[in-house]
Amino acid sequence: MNIPNGNASYACGSFLLIVKEKNEQAFQLAKIIKTWLEENKRIATIIPAFLPEEQLLEHTKSHDIAVILGGDGTILGVSRRMYTNPLPLIGINFGKVGFLADISPENWQECFAKLLAGEYKVQKVTPLHFEHIRNTAVIRSGIAMNDVVISRGAMAKSIFIKLRVDDIFITDLHCDGLICSSPLGTTAYTASAHGPLTFPTLDAHILTPISPFAGSFSPLVMPKESTIRITSLDDRETFITVDGQDSHEVLMGDSICVQSAEHKIALLVSDTRWFWKRLRERGFILPGPGKYTIS
């Protein structure tokens, strides 16, 4: 599919409505939207968000846009699984924060009218690609939209890890963990660990230590060409977690390699300044004392 670059507008004829599981309100709205789209001479298909990846990809081949009715977690999970055959996507918020969702359930019709009129813009974001290596063999690999985190397990103990960037030794860390984030994901765990907020379309990835005890560095913003390699140095319970959803055990001597993914994911946005507005609206940036006039 030829998706325009930058802030170009995007018109679409067929919609894939992907609904958060066990959310009756989202499902009922999907049915209403499907009827409305068909009345406006568009094709619309409703599927559940938990479809196996192979079935999801079959649907993406025959549609122009994915509309995800759910929260940020649903948007992340679906976009990660459709990475090999992605559609431009937009979210309708049925979650708690809804940072990634451009549409609220209350104003969907106004927004869809603008979509059909080609008034929405495309912004492309770069996910992360990771490999879990054990004894020189890749035992697991995949895509992360937000972040790849190596951290301690259930016990409240720190971990020991070695960090290399582009095969250059950086430091040994005694810490609670290390966050490798995409620009899109800096408002998630990275923000909680006092990492930088970065605009989602930047070609970069970010490293942020979690509560370092011995060995430390300020959060690093690196070009997309850089490769991060994290090696576990002890036998404490350690895990790799992808987008806060998938988690796997890391053994002593295992390495996690992270870099920017090869392909980008296209987001449809009504306003290319959406990131700045949501930082303020969702409380990521708080005003100081005094009176303010928002215009």
Side-chain angles (χ1 to χ4, degrees), residues 63-232:
H63 292 80
D64 295 325
I65 175 177
V67 180
I68 303 175
L69 292 86
D72 288 344
T74 305
I75 294 173
L76 293 173
V78 170
S79 56
R80 188 170 68 245
R81 289 187 295 120
M82 69 163 61
Y83 172 76
T84 57
N85 189 44
L87 292 177
L89 61 89
I90 192 167
I92 300 179
N93 184 32
F94 279 91
K96 294 180 180 178
V97 179
F99 195 90
L100 301 178
D102 201 80
I103 300 174
S104 70
E106 293 76 25
N107 73 340
W108 72 266
Q109 191 165 337
E110 175 187 350
C111 295
F112 270 70
K114 292 180 179 179
L115 267 175
L116 298 193
E119 295 179 18
Y120 268 64
K121 306 295 183 181
V122 173
Q123 287 190 335
K124 294 184 178 182
V125 300
T126 304
L128 301 175
H129 178 267
F130 73 90
E131 292 182 340
H132 183 175
I133 301 169
R134 179 174 296 159
N135 298 326
T136 72
V138 177
I139 64 171
R140 186 174 293 106
S141 64
I143 295 295
M145 292 298 297
N146 262 1
D147 50 41
V148 175
V149 180
I150 182 168
S151 61
R152 63 190 187 187
M155 297 294 291
K157 295 181 178 181
S158 57
I159 60 173
F160 289 92
I161 56 177
K162 182 182 294 294
L163 172 64
R164 293 183 178 89
V165 177
D166 295 336
D167 292 326
I168 300 297
F169 169 75
I170 302 299
T171 187
D172 288 340
L173 282 173
H174 181 190
C175 58
D176 285 352
L178 187 64
I179 306 168
C180 306
S181 173
S182 71
L184 182 70
T186 56
T187 53
Y189 199 175
T190 292
S192 299
H194 308 292
L197 298 173
T198 58
F199 197 82
T201 58
L202 288 178
D203 280 329
H205 43 253
I206 298 91
L207 265 181
T208 305
I210 307 170
S211 302
F213 173 72
S216 184
F217 56 88
S218 298
L220 297 174
V221 180
M222 294 171 293
K224 68 174 183 178
E225 295 82 9
S226 291
T227 299
I228 301 160
R229 186 181 184 97
I230 306 156
T231 303
S232 176

Side-chain angles (χ1 to χ4, degrees), residues 10 17 19 43 46 83 106 117 179 200 212 214 248 259 270 280 293:
Y10 183 73
L17 307 176
V19 184
I43 298 169
I46 300 174
Y83 172 76
E106 293 76 25
I179 306 168
H248 307 281
Q259 58 189 147
S270 58
R280 186 190 68 214
T293 300

